[in-house]
Amino acid sequence: MAVSLQPKPIVPGSQVLAYGAARGDLVVPNDDLIEPINSSDEWIQQRTGIITRTRASRDVGVKDLSLTAAREAVERSGIDIGTLDAIIVSTISFPYPTPSLATLLAGELGRPDVIAYDISAACAGFAYGIGQADALIRTGAARHVLVIGAEKLSDFVDPTDRSISFLLGDGAGAAIVGPSDEPRIGPTVWGSDGDSWNTIRMTNSLVDYRDGDGGWPTLEQDGRTVFRWAVWHTAKKIREMLEQSGLTVEDIDVFVPHQANMRIVDELAKQLKLPESVVIARDIAETGNTSAASIPLATHRLLEEGTAKSGDVLVQFGFGAGLAYAGQVLILP
């Protein structure tokens, strides 16, 4: 018997309605970290642009950071919490492989029956989440979507590691995405470079740790490889993203790349030939590299400072572990 399935309604577009943020409660200056890596404050600032980073106290978890950011985003958006139909969380530092942090947050926020899942895309994860939220809304699968990037990377730091340990911070950034009469989130450009899967990695697996074949897993990276890949590959993909959105660099008001390293941020701006008028996020100087949380935290800061404003054209682009990448052009709320 032939049947005809009823399609979901198509919504013209989606938009970010509001942001929320939570940073770690501890401010950690470079001087606190230099002895184990036999370095100096000057060396760290020259190599990364980081002056301080925020880290969370032992009793503050990824869930706590996420809830703070989520509640601010919900409140500022003005939505009825009953219209929140999906929660997407990007994190690589929630200490439970399963169940997801997203389902835990759904219960805490009073929406235990919504779509809820985690993304493991590290520094590209928030942009991955925005891309998925846009698709859920435009296909009618959700009315409003909460997207969170949250990390407590200090739980996975080896203080003696010179490749990445001094970069990392803790925090969470959140955004509420809802429907729009016209697209205010452009096409997502995303993908990965699986051939470089091991460029940013954990030192051991949990199975190795369990069996005594390795210590507690911590993060490390091949810094030079990541730098070259991030600059050349990312600049190319951002140009592709602008083209798909029908824009040029002259249309950009705000540029928020993943806050990996100030040298990468500066080199990307140079490669893209951004006009001097473009506001460039440099949140890494005070917050550090917070992986999935870095883009929403940086955006939230610019809006709070008034450096970015409603209606500005923002380009965001994330890249990280597994050399996953993702980005969009969007109009700020």
Side-chain angles (χ1 to χ4, degrees):
M1 171 178 151
V3 297
S4 177
L5 300 178
Q6 184 67 33
K8 285 278 190 179
I10 301 299
V11 177
S14 73
Q15 61 184 325
V16 174
L17 300 174
Y19 289 90
R23 288 175 171 81
D25 55 309
L26 305 175
V27 176
V28 182
N30 292 335
D31 285 342
D32 287 4
L33 306 179
I34 57 178
E35 185 175 346
I37 59 173
N38 189 27
S39 186
S40 67
D41 171 62
E42 181 183 16
W43 183 85
I44 292 176
Q45 289 200 45
Q46 286 179 348
R47 299 275 296 182
T48 70
I50 297 174
I51 302 169
T52 62
R53 73 280 298 137
T54 57
R55 290 183 173 174
S57 300
R58 188 179 183 88
D59 60 347
V60 177
V62 183
K63 184 198 81 168
D64 304 306
L65 296 167
S66 298
L67 276 174
T68 299
R71 285 171 173 152
E72 181 186 358
V74 170
E75 180 179 354
R76 290 192 169 194
S77 72
I79 68 166
D80 180 341
I81 193 68
T83 67
L84 181 65
D85 295 324
I87 299 174
I88 303 171
V89 179
S90 177
T91 183
I92 59 169
S93 53
F94 186 53
Y96 299 92
T98 192
S100 71
L101 174 57
T103 53
L104 176 60
L105 296 176
E108 293 277 354
L109 292 169
R111 294 290 289 147
D113 58 341
V114 301
I115 302 163
Y117 59 94
D118 291 354
I119 301 171
S120 178
C123 314
F126 181 77
Y128 263 73
I130 293 294
Q132 293 177 35
D134 172 59
L136 286 170
I137 289 166
R138 287 190 298 102
T139 58
R143 290 167 292 180
H144 294 103
V145 181
L146 170 61
V147 180
I148 302 172
E151 305 288 9
K152 190 180 181 184
L153 298 176
S154 59
D155 285 342
F156 301 93
V157 164
D158 173 1
T160 66
D161 174 75
R162 286 177 61 89
S163 73
I164 199 171
S165 63
F166 54 89
L167 291 167
L168 304 177
D170 304 332
I176 295 290
V177 183
S180 174
D181 292 336
E182 59 183 15
R184 293 176 69 85
I185 297 175
T188 298
V189 169
W190 44 8
S192 63
D193 181 359
D195 290 336
S196 304
W197 179 85
N198 208 35
T199 305
I200 307 172
R201 57 191 174 270
M202 304 302 290
T203 50
N204 302 293
S205 73
L206 289 174
V207 174
D208 292 335
Y209 179 65
R210 180 197 66 187
D211 293 344
D213 296 329
W216 175 249
T218 57
L219 284 160
E220 63 180 3
Q221 68 173 347
D222 298 330
R224 292 181 181 178
T225 302
V226 172
F227 183 91
R228 289 194 299 268
W229 187 94
V231 170
W232 298 108
H233 188 85
T234 298
K236 176 183 175 182
K237 290 299 177 180
I238 292 173
R239 293 189 195 99
E240 180 182 326
M241 188 173 73
L242 287 168
E243 183 178 350
Q244 289 189 18
S245 299
L247 304 176
T248 70
V249 292
E250 301 296 328
D251 298 306
I252 301 172
D253 297 309
V254 184
F255 180 50
V256 184
H258 164 50
Q259 303 291 286
N261 180 313
M262 195 75 79
R263 290 168 61 213
I264 292 176
V265 172
D266 290 340
E267 189 60 30
L268 277 175
K270 179 180 176 182
Q271 291 296 324
L272 292 168
K273 299 180 180 179
L274 294 181
E276 291 186 6
S277 60
V278 175
V279 173
I280 301 174
R282 302 184 187 279
D283 189 49
I284 189 171
E286 297 178 10
T287 305
N289 179 341
T290 54
S291 188
S294 82
I295 288 176
L297 283 177
T299 304
H300 182 276
R301 181 187 289 275
L302 293 176
L303 287 167
E304 289 297 289
E305 293 175 345
T307 314
K309 60 185 183 299
S310 176
D312 279 352
V313 175
L314 177 144
V315 167
Q316 63 180 27
F317 205 91
F319 47 88
L323 294 189
Y325 60 85
Q328 300 91 8
V329 179
L330 57 86
I331 310 299
L332 284 172

